[in-house]
Amino acid sequence: MKFTHQSDTFIEIDSAKIYFEEIGNPQKQPLLFLHGGFGNIEDFNGIIPLLKNEYRIIGIDSRGQGKSTLGNTALTYARIEKDIEVIIKQLNLVNPVILGFSDGGISALRLTSSNSLKVDKLIIIGSSWHSKSLASSKVFLEAITSEKWKERFPETYEQYQNLNLDPDFDKLTKAMVKMWIDETSTGHPDETVQNIDCPTLIIRGDKDHLCSKQSSFELSELINAADLANIPFCGHEVFTDQKNILMEIVNQFLVR
């Protein structure tokens, strides 16, 4: 069981075609997967088979990434949050669990902070939550260009070119960088995370250079029903570096 990008399932939202894909048991609880920057739903294929229980699994390619088009509105975490909310409502996903990695987790934090819909449980992996985290990463993020990304992660670029309906990697890169360094209300959820009232699992890799241990600890203190897992011997992509340990923790959290 895995995401394949073989279905022709899109929802048009504010000038963009947002791709989603459903696998698993349609009669079970919805479990929504949200990927990180420059990624797509296939990034989770290594961990989906490790789920112990059955779910109605839905993956969303974030605006401009994977098979989804960018559209003509500004790319922000608020924009992605709205796309997720629209899809949840249109698919009638009742009491969903949300698992978000990096950018996907930031958007999920925004969504659950707003309490605009009922979320059963939230799992975030390698996700910052406050604009103050940019103090240590903004210079690094601002320096990212499409050429630098293609040179360092050629497989990501190739996959984007093969999947996207309207590929323009340079345009996407500029939009992504602008989203990452956004310090306004359309960026990180900041202190509004205190509004989150669903059980939340915060996960980071011990060597994650984009999501600090201190930041994750602060977040766990601000959310009433939060658990924190700092997983050793891995970096930002915990689901690649330590997938078995990760899923042992996730499975325990899901059945609590």
Side-chain angles (χ1 to χ4, degrees):
M1 184 171 60
K2 63 181 181 179
F3 294 122
T4 64
H5 282 107
Q6 295 302 306
S7 65
D8 191 30
T9 43
F10 295 87
I11 293 180
E12 294 198 23
I13 309 172
D14 295 339
S15 76
K17 294 182 70 174
I18 307 300
Y19 178 82
F20 69 94
E21 189 173 323
E22 293 198 48
I23 56 177
N25 188 334
Q27 305 304 316
K28 297 295 185 177
Q29 183 179 23
L31 172 54
L32 192 62
F33 281 87
L34 309 172
H35 64 79
F38 288 113
N40 64 73
I41 56 177
E42 291 187 39
D43 296 343
F44 296 111
N45 282 345
I47 62 173
I48 288 173
L50 299 178
L51 287 165
K52 288 186 177 177
N53 291 335
E54 287 187 295
Y55 296 91
R56 176 187 177 187
I57 298 171
I58 302 99
I60 300 175
D61 278 341
S62 292
R63 180 174 290 245
Q65 298 155 80
K67 222 171 178 180
S68 296
T69 62
L70 188 58
N72 55 27
T73 61
L75 184 64
T76 64
Y77 289 123
R79 174 67 269 175
I80 296 176
E81 172 200 1
K82 184 64 177 176
D83 292 341
I84 298 165
E85 184 178 354
V86 169
I87 290 175
I88 288 174
K89 289 179 177 177
Q90 289 206 23
L91 296 182
N92 193 29
L93 304 182
V94 179
N95 215 26
V97 175
I98 300 179
L99 186 152
F101 165 62
S102 198
D103 285 352
I106 296 170
S107 302
L109 284 168
R110 285 188 59 99
L111 181 65
T112 47
S113 295
S114 71
N115 289 315
S116 58
L117 47 79
K118 172 66 175 168
V119 173
D120 184 39
K121 290 185 174 77
L122 172 65
I123 303 165
I124 61 166
I125 303 171
S127 300
S128 55
W129 61 277
H130 202 287
S131 53
K132 66 184 180 183
S133 64
L134 291 169
S136 59
S137 62
K138 190 172 184 179
V139 173
F140 162 74
L141 294 172
E142 284 179 324
I144 293 174
T145 64
S146 58
E147 289 304 316
K148 288 180 180 177
W149 193 274
K150 282 189 285 187
E151 183 179 341
R152 186 171 181 184
F153 305 107
E155 69 289 344
T156 302
Y157 170 71
E158 290 299 329
Q159 196 170 35
Y160 165 80
Q161 289 294 123
N162 292 331
L163 287 175
N164 202 264
L165 300 182
D166 185 24
D168 186 335
F169 196 67
D170 188 56
K171 182 179 180 181
L172 174 63
T173 302
K174 290 174 181 176
M176 294 286 289
V177 171
K178 191 172 182 180
M179 177 178 75
W180 289 338
I181 63 174
D182 180 9
E183 298 183 65
T184 72
S185 61
T186 58
H188 288 82
D190 294 349
E191 280 79 12
T192 64
V193 295
Q194 296 174 88
N195 299 330
I196 296 174
D197 59 6
C198 66
T200 301
L201 176 59
I202 302 159
I203 300 172
R204 73 176 292 273
D206 194 46
K207 305 302 182 185
D208 193 335
H209 64 295
L210 294 174
C211 177
S212 74
K213 190 182 299 181
Q214 180 64 31
S215 172
S216 296
F217 174 76
E218 289 176 1
L219 179 59
S220 71
E221 292 288 288
L222 287 171
I223 300 174
N224 284 331
D227 289 292
L228 172 62
N230 186 74
I231 300 179
F233 318 124
C234 57
H236 190 53
E237 294 188 355
V238 181
F239 56 87
T240 299
D241 297 343
Q242 290 287 1
K243 67 179 182 179
N244 292 314
I245 295 174
L246 167 70
M247 292 309 293
E248 180 64 31
I249 294 168
V250 167
N251 282 314
Q252 287 190 45
F253 174 73
L254 289 175
V255 299
R256 290 179 61 184

